[in-house]
């Protein structure tokens, strides 16, 4: 739930040092608060002091919080200790592997970008939606044009390769795209024809 920051009370806490508030605030500015702070039913802070301070730096007026019923001071201290102790940081190897994987996702190679474009193309095609019969036939008619587009692309890429404007690797990739476009066009032409027959049937 969202709690007004001005309603949150803070008493003496175990943690004395609160480093890297600025970097935490930067993270929260970009991604929001990933883990809510913890309060008791009187809105007394139990866990999340750094998150609360970062929210104040960002000028937030409310903050996501988990409310729990704490019976006594012993339980309050146990929860504060548990919330901080049970966190497990990445090892250096795990952190390095994570950043490398992130870098690859942000900077995909040619074939990965091509695969993503093909996947998104099919996702748009088979996206389930409420469409009228006319709209479906219209979409199938337009998408059937990908067949001649695939043939044209194959011819043009062959000419460019013969003239040494593109490499054999790029030619193979373009031929793959041409084949996908051609097959998709044939499929949608068949679907268009099937829709036309249904319309003309008594």
């Amino acid at each position: 739930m969202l709690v007004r920051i001005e309603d949150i009370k803070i008493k003496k806490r175990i943690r004395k040092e609160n480093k890297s508030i600025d970097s935490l605030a930067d993270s929260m500015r970009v991604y929001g608060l990933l883990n809510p702070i913890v309060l008791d039913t009187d809105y007394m802070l139990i866990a999340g002091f750094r998150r609360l301070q970062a929210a104040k730096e960002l000028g937030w007026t409310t903050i996501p919080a988990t409310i729990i019923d704490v019976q006594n001071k012993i339980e309050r201290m146990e929860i504060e200790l548990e919330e901080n102790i049970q966190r497990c940081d990445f090892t250096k190897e795990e952190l390095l592997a994570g950043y490398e994987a992130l870098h690859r996702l942000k900077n995909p190679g040619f074939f990965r970008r091509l695969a993503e474009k093909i996947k998104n193309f099919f996702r748009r095609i088979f996206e389930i939606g409420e469409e009228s019969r006319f709209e479906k036939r219209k979409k199938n008619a337009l998408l059937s044009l990908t067949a001649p587009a695939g043939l044209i692309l194959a011819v043009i890429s062959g000419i460019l390769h013969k003239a040494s404007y593109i490499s054999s690797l790029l030619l193979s990739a373009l031929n793959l795209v041409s084949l996908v476009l051609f097959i998709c066009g044939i499929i949608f032409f068949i679907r268009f024809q099937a829709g036309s027959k249904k319309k003309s049937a008594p």
Side-chain angles (χ1 to χ4, degrees):
M1 64 178 291
L2 285 177
V3 175
R4 291 195 309 172
I5 288 178
E6 63 181 26
D7 293 338
I8 297 173
K9 309 175 188 71
I10 302 173
K11 284 191 175 180
K12 186 177 180 181
R13 300 177 49 76
I14 298 171
R15 186 188 289 276
K16 302 301 181 184
E17 294 185 4
N18 293 286
K19 299 177 180 178
S20 305
I21 297 293
D22 291 340
S23 61
L24 177 58
D26 290 338
S27 174
M28 288 168 57
R29 183 183 294 110
V30 176
Y31 303 109
L33 182 61
L34 301 179
N35 296 301
I37 64 172
V38 181
L39 308 174
D40 66 13
T41 52
D42 294 324
Y43 287 5
M44 190 73 67
L45 183 69
I46 298 174
F49 180 78
R50 291 177 64 251
R51 283 164 276 173
L52 179 61
Q53 292 303 110
K56 289 179 179 178
E57 282 193 15
L58 292 172
W60 292 8
T61 57
T62 60
I63 188 170
T66 299
I67 309 297
I68 60 175
D69 187 11
V70 180
Q71 301 298 323
N72 50 56
K73 291 183 178 180
I74 294 175
E75 187 177 356
R76 177 191 302 278
M77 186 170 293
E78 286 176 342
I79 294 171
E80 183 181 350
L81 286 167
E82 190 73 11
E83 204 267 349
N84 286 278
I85 291 172
Q86 292 304 323
R87 291 180 299 183
C88 183
D89 294 332
F90 285 123
T91 64
K92 290 182 179 179
E93 291 78 10
E94 290 170 337
L95 196 59
L96 180 60
Y99 277 119
E100 286 177 351
L102 181 61
H103 177 75
R104 288 195 299 271
L105 289 173
K106 287 184 174 181
N107 303 279
F110 173 78
F111 287 105
R112 187 179 183 89
R113 292 198 304 271
L114 178 62
E116 284 295 321
K117 288 183 183 298
I118 292 173
K119 184 175 72 174
N120 291 333
F121 175 73
F122 279 106
R123 183 180 296 163
R124 287 194 299 270
I125 289 172
F126 296 107
E127 204 170 42
I128 298 174
E130 293 298 324
E131 294 179 301
S132 67
R133 181 174 294 180
F134 173 77
E135 288 172 335
K136 288 181 179 179
R137 289 184 68 248
K138 182 180 176 181
K139 184 176 77 172
N140 288 332
L142 290 172
L143 288 172
S144 66
L145 297 176
T146 56
L151 291 174
I152 293 169
L153 178 60
V155 171
I156 292 174
S157 58
I159 293 171
L160 291 174
H161 180 255
K162 281 186 178 181
S164 300
Y165 285 112
I166 60 175
S167 65
S168 297
L169 183 63
L170 182 55
L171 175 65
S172 299
L174 291 173
N175 284 339
L176 177 61
V177 174
S178 301
L179 179 61
V180 171
L181 290 174
F182 180 75
I183 292 172
C184 289
I186 295 298
I187 291 171
F188 285 109
F189 180 74
I190 293 171
R191 291 175 65 176
F192 172 74
Q193 289 292 95
S196 300
K197 287 179 181 177
K198 284 181 181 179
K199 184 179 180 182
S200 59

